[in-house]
Amino acid sequence: MKRILSLLVLAGTMSLASYAQELTLEQGKFHAGDDMSWAGVNVDESGWKTLSNMTTWTSQGVKIENGFGWYRYHVTIPKSMLEKSDLKETVDFNMAKIDDADEVYLNGKLIGKTGSFPKDPNGYHSNWNAQRVYSVKANGGLVKWDADNVIAVRCYNAGDPGGMFAGPISVRVPNTIDNLSINIKEGEGSQSVCTLVSKMQSSKSGVFSVKVEDPESGKVLSEKTMKVSVNKAKSRSISLPYDSHQMVRIVSTFTESKTGLSTTTKYIPKYILTPAAPAEPRFNTAPLYGVRPGSPIHFRFGVSGDRPMKITSDDLPKGLAINPDNGALSGSLEKPGSYTFTVKAKNAKGEQEQKFTIRCGSKIGLTPPMGWNSWNCWGLSVTQDKVISSAKALIEKGLADYGYCYMNIDDGWEAKERNADGTIAVNQKFPSMKDLGDWLHSEGLKFGIYSSPGDLTCGGYLGSIDHELQDAESYNSWGIDYLKYDWCGYGRKHRTEPDNQTVASYVRPYLLMERCLRQQPRDIFYSLCQYGMADVWKWGESVDANSWRTTGDITDTWESLYSIGFVQQTELYPYAQPGHWNDPDMLIVGKVGWSNNLRDSRLTPDEQYTHISLWSLLASNMLIGCDIAQMDDFTVALLCNHEVNAVNQDILGKQAKREVLDGSIQIWARPLSDGSYAVGIFNVGTTDARVDFKKYFAQMGISSLKAARDLWRQKDLSTSDVNYFIPTHGVKLLKIRY
Ligand code: GAL
């Protein structure tokens, strides 16, 4: 039998949250099925295969959709690890993460369990995302020092993927300092709250400090230090205020008196760059709107400023009306053509006007759609009330003043069966689609829905197959303005089709629905969702798609954002144009969760600035994926920067191209309709960077820089000093002229 022992980290003098004595293991022996004798020490492993714990068993060719599998590891734990620990209290088995539930045995004895199995008293419960760390007494006799120890892991998986997947796993003998950790949170009133937590019963004392630093210069802006003593029952907190309109780094350290060892946690709190909007009216949305002749118009002029405000026009084209109280434009235009008129907004503080053009012709979606979709927050638990609550918040928090107008229901609204006449029925979570549509339209907002060309949607709800026209007619009767049409269940049909290798076979279901939508007397933004198969960007326009998803689903991690945003979009810029957009998926800022359990996006503040900057440069659909009712000031400011949004909504409709790839620095640029350029200088690396933009001028064809503006801060910058500090995973978003 092979012993797998990949790395021995020896005791160091300082520990920065990594363990002083730690052994890591990347692979073990594996057997599918369930046999409790496999928990024991003496097991014949000759028929067992070798499997990594760095990725799921599914991705290593094991197929267990609902069932058990066991991993076994053999590890010699050197006595020197114990001797080097000042505590000599426990040995910790860090089993990383396991999909979905597990029990872990050490030398035949159960040492920990996470989640539960189907036959457990309360039934199956998945806890796939929990970090498992199981402790045993160092001198309790269970750990065999300088000898072979068997770790046996019993895993249960329900639905793909499964097994141990976030390794390497490790065996640790903690020092005092390893049992202490500091969590940093943002408290009320921009206070950084640092909490020192101990896993030990016995009290430990030392010096606890917090500093607010300028990440760029490293300068300490303020600090606080105190002597504390902590144990398992008593944590200690220290807090310090910071300026939430500036990027700062909170650094908190605890140095334990006896050993002199310390632990440090660093954290960058959310910081708001967008300046507050003036009290006077200001128009924030693109001055252009596309509609087909005869189609009803539902549009809301996006104007920020104090309320009450009156929004009016003296030269409105015939057939149109504005509700002066909310700026909702309604009516329709019979004849094709370009209609330009002046809109006025007036409040107690002042008056503003803007020229506005409606292009009545064959194209809609002349700028990328802005709005909300229920999926990234509520997943299948979406309800009509939740849609209404986000729509109300969209208005109350001012997002509607910045052009966010689509309110799109994703999967989870359909009944189990169609009506007797074959029309689609809604489930009990949606009492009335028609009422919902009418109310949204009265506010100048738009209404979106989701379906699949297959028998079932991804969430297992009814799709539109064989009922395409009936469904399009239902959408028309409810006042639907946007359809996301998701491949999903269609895959089963597609697999059986003789021509399924051809592009035509991918086009077919989308063309069919397009024909049905176009028979309706209204404009329905047609959003394809088939993850980029058969290079959809090359034929999306031919099925009159207004946008097409270019990738699989996004999630709120840097890895997902990086792969979708920076890797998978690089070649797609030629395919975006007014009316037809590449869609790299919905936004992952604010409170998301794909279920009833919402949490803050796991992206750091800089990753969120990068996300919105890149999506603006890419002329992407801007669909908010969080609960707007719970949106904090940071997220509102992130989504409501009219200069940043103007890049996304620029009427030239050109998607940014990556102009520079220099190690971890990437520069993406797009031309704008006023002759200027939007430029994003991104640092995708793991450390902060200083970038001299001048270095790339020749490569980008910039002979002499005539103007530079920081769009997030809405401030003009020097054209000679173009040296920028760009934090890890952060961005400098500029508008330049040259
Ligand atoms: C996926 C789609 C998601 C969401 C989900 C609903 O296929 O990519 O955005 O719509 O289905 O089940």
Side-chain angles (χ1 to χ4, degrees):
M1 179 185 325
K2 204 169 132 215
R3 236 162 238 173
I4 308 131
L5 202 142
S6 67
L7 182 70
L8 175 58
V9 184
L10 293 167
T13 49
M14 270 268 288
S15 154
L16 285 175
S18 79
Y19 282 72
Q21 283 81 234
E22 183 167 19
L23 276 174
T24 58
L25 302 137
E26 282 182 21
Q27 313 176 12
K29 290 290 176 186
F30 176 82
H31 203 298
D34 193 28
D35 180 338
M36 290 314 292
S37 75
W38 293 341
V41 175
N42 298 316
V43 170
D44 176 10
E45 292 172 1
S46 52
W48 292 50
K49 55 163 94 185
T50 299
L51 224 59
S52 163
N53 56 42
M54 312 281 279
T55 176
T56 58
W57 65 39
T58 317
S59 61
Q60 297 173 77
V62 174
K63 289 238 164 302
I64 309 172
E65 285 204 10
N66 291 296
F68 286 92
W70 284 71
Y71 294 78
R72 286 173 58 87
Y73 298 86
H74 289 259
V75 56
T76 299
I77 310 176
K79 185 121 198 238
S80 59
M81 284 176 78
L82 183 65
E83 287 157 0
K84 281 176 188 149
S85 161
D86 70 302
L87 275 180
K88 302 181 184 24
E89 279 177 3
T90 61
V91 179
D92 292 353
F93 293 83
N94 158 39
M95 307 310 293
K97 296 182 179 186
I98 299 175
D99 196 3
D100 295 291
D102 65 284
E103 277 173 357
V104 174
Y105 296 83
L106 176 68
N107 299 325
K109 191 165 179 279
L110 181 69
I111 60 167
K113 173 164 183 156
T114 302
S116 57
F117 304 139
K119 289 202 172 137
D120 286 347
N122 291 323
Y124 162 70
H125 172 67
S126 169
N127 203 353
W128 65 275
N129 204 23
Q131 184 78 28
R132 281 97 165 135
V133 181
Y134 303 131
S135 291
V136 302
K137 284 209 171 80
N139 289 317
L142 189 55
V143 176
K144 298 182 201 158
W145 297 103
D146 286 331
D148 186 42
N149 290 268
V150 178
I151 307 167
V153 188
R154 182 185 184 209
C155 307
Y156 178 78
N157 175 54
D160 272 346
M164 307 182 74
F165 68 95
I169 64 166
S170 63
V171 181
R172 303 159 172 173
V173 187
N175 279 338
T176 294
I177 206 70
D178 297 324
N179 282 325
L180 295 164
S181 56
I182 302 168
N183 306 321
I184 308 183
K185 272 207 197 138
E186 292 157 41
E188 288 288 310
S190 304
Q191 289 274 343
S192 55
V193 183
C194 312
T195 306
L196 177 65
V197 186
S198 171
K199 287 190 206 154
M200 293 167 287
Q201 306 288 358
S202 57
S203 291
K204 302 286 167 188
S205 47
V207 176
F208 190 23
S209 71
V210 54
K211 284 189 282 190
V212 177
E213 274 181 12
D214 171 4
E216 184 169 356
S217 62
K219 204 175 137 203
V220 176
L221 305 171
S222 58
E223 66 185 311
K224 201 174 185 179
T225 299
M226 61 187 199
K227 282 205 165 142
V228 296
S229 144
V230 276
N231 59 36
K232 197 170 180 179
K234 192 173 99 197
S235 59
R236 295 300 298 259
S237 290
I238 184 169
S239 51
L240 199 58
Y242 58 90
D243 178 356
S244 64
H245 286 84
Q246 194 187 335
M247 181 193 190
V248 294
R249 179 178 288 134
I250 312 295
V251 182
S252 182
T253 301
F254 176 74
T255 306
E256 202 261 333
S257 314
K258 253 203 191 129
T259 56
L261 294 175
S262 56
T263 181
T264 295
T265 301
K266 298 180 181 185
Y267 180 80
I268 296 193
K270 291 172 185 164
Y271 58 104
I272 293 177
L273 293 176
T274 306
E280 302 81 49
R282 186 183 65 200
F283 284 85
N284 297 309
T285 45
L288 181 68
Y289 183 76
V291 67
R292 297 196 181 105
S295 295
I297 292 179
H298 303 292
F299 178 81
R300 184 178 171 117
F301 293 101
V303 194
S304 54
D306 285 359
R307 264 40 182 193
M309 185 188 289
K310 292 282 176 207
I311 300 175
T312 55
S313 170
D314 297 333
D315 56 351
L316 209 56
K318 202 166 149 270
L320 302 185
I322 302 180
N323 176 342
D325 297 321
N326 61 13
L329 178 73
S330 56
S332 66
L333 295 168
E334 293 312 316
K335 287 204 189 106
S338 208
Y339 298 79
T340 298
F341 52 98
T342 303
V343 187
K344 294 180 190 169
K346 190 175 178 184
N347 67 8
K349 297 285 166 47
E351 191 171 345
Q352 268 282 328
E353 317 190 330
Q354 178 174 287
K355 278 223 170 323
F356 194 86
T357 299
I358 298 185
R359 207 166 283 156
C360 182
S362 59
K363 291 220 177 228
I364 61 166
L366 299 183
T367 60
M370 295 177 79
W372 176 87
N373 171 294
S374 58
W375 185 248
N376 290 356
C377 39
W378 303 117
L380 295 172
S381 71
V382 60
T383 64
Q384 183 161 328
D385 286 346
K386 284 173 177 163
V387 178
I388 293 173
S389 133
S390 266
K392 284 189 172 156
L394 185 94
I395 297 166
E396 276 155 24
K397 296 191 184 217
L399 288 111
D401 302 342
Y402 287 80
Y404 294 95
C405 61
Y406 283 99
M407 293 302 300
N408 296 353
I409 303 169
D410 207 280
D411 205 356
W413 59 269
E414 309 89 330
K416 282 217 152 41
E417 281 173 20
R418 288 181 172 267
N419 298 319
D421 63 358
T423 54
I424 189 75
V426 295
N427 60 42
Q428 74 291 349
K429 296 186 294 165
F430 289 87
S432 171
M433 288 295 197
K434 170 89 172 78
D435 289 354
L436 180 54
D438 287 348
W439 174 71
L440 289 170
H441 292 151
S442 72
E443 289 292 348
L445 302 180
K446 291 171 180 283
F447 188 19
I449 202 105
Y450 164 99
S451 187
S452 167
D455 53 349
L456 293 178
T457 66
C458 281
Y461 286 75
L462 285 181
S464 293
I465 200 162
D466 299 333
H467 295 274
E468 291 82 0
L469 184 58
Q470 272 184 317
D471 285 0
E473 285 168 354
S474 296
Y475 303 156
N476 173 53
S477 72
W478 299 338
I480 292 295
D481 306 300
Y482 188 115
L483 171 67
K484 172 172 171 182
Y485 207 42
D486 187 5
W487 180 266
C488 259
Y490 191 81
R492 276 186 290 277
K493 176 168 192 295
H494 187 251
R495 274 194 286 278
T496 65
E497 289 174 345
D499 66 343
N500 64 15
Q501 299 299 314
T502 64
V503 173
S505 72
Y506 286 90
V507 171
R508 199 176 297 131
Y510 287 100
L511 194 57
L512 175 60
M513 185 48 111
E514 186 260 347
R515 302 242 156 99
C516 302
L517 292 178
R518 290 304 291 274
Q519 288 177 40
Q520 307 312 312
R522 62 184 302 110
D523 296 341
I524 299 181
F525 185 102
Y526 192 27
S527 153
L528 272 45
C529 176
Q530 46 83 287
Y531 340 113
M533 290 184 301
D535 291 354
V536 62
W537 40 88
K538 295 186 178 155
W539 52 265
E541 191 192 345
S542 74
V543 299
D544 235 339
N546 300 110
S547 70
W548 43 82
R549 275 271 298 278
T550 54
T551 70
D553 287 14
I554 199 165
T555 189
D556 58 325
T557 62
W558 169 251
E559 290 70 27
S560 173
L561 175 63
Y562 176 79
S563 155
I564 287 185
F566 289 100
V567 181
Q568 300 180 57
Q569 306 305 316
T570 48
E571 305 305 319
L572 306 187
Y573 62 92
Y575 304 101
Q577 53 163 308
H580 312 283
W581 310 104
N582 289 306
D583 172 9
D585 208 358
M586 299 165 296
L587 304 178
I588 37 165
V589 301
K591 281 204 187 294
V592 293
W594 292 267
S595 66
N596 265 329
N597 300 322
L598 299 191
R599 55 172 151 76
D600 271 331
S601 167
R602 288 175 287 177
L603 297 182
T604 66
D606 287 299
E607 289 166 357
Q608 300 193 42
Y609 280 115
T610 287
H611 181 23
I612 302 303
S613 303
L614 186 59
W615 262 234
S616 294
L617 286 160
L618 293 174
S620 304
N621 299 25
M622 284 291 224
L623 293 179
I624 298 165
C626 65
D627 179 13
I628 305 180
Q630 296 186 57
M631 197 183 271
D632 62 8
D633 294 349
F634 167 79
T635 312
V636 173
L638 183 73
L639 295 169
C640 296
N641 185 312
H642 71 300
E643 296 199 19
V644 174
N645 296 349
V647 174
N648 175 270
Q649 294 290 299
D650 185 73
I651 59 174
L652 193 62
K654 289 253 184 261
Q655 176 171 328
K657 178 174 177 227
R658 186 169 67 192
E659 303 279 357
V660 171
L661 175 60
D662 182 11
S664 45
I665 300 303
Q666 300 198 9
I667 305 185
W668 294 64
R670 65 179 276 189
L672 301 175
S673 51
D674 65 359
S676 66
Y677 291 82
V679 174
I681 310 175
F682 297 93
N683 171 12
V684 300
T686 49
T687 52
D688 298 342
R690 271 220 152 265
V691 178
D692 191 4
F693 183 30
K694 224 179 244 134
K695 185 174 151 196
Y696 305 108
F697 279 7
Q699 193 177 342
M700 293 178 65
I702 302 173
S703 46
S704 97
L705 190 65
K706 300 214 168 59
R709 186 165 170 86
D710 181 327
L711 292 182
W712 281 110
R713 291 180 176 80
Q714 300 176 6
K715 255 196 194 146
D716 289 335
L717 300 174
S718 153
T719 50
S720 50
D721 177 11
V722 290
N723 201 300
Y724 305 122
F725 170 78
I726 307 183
T728 166
H729 297 178
V731 60
K732 190 88 183 170
L733 183 66
L734 305 174
K735 179 164 169 166
I736 63 168
R737 279 180 191 281
Y738 60 87

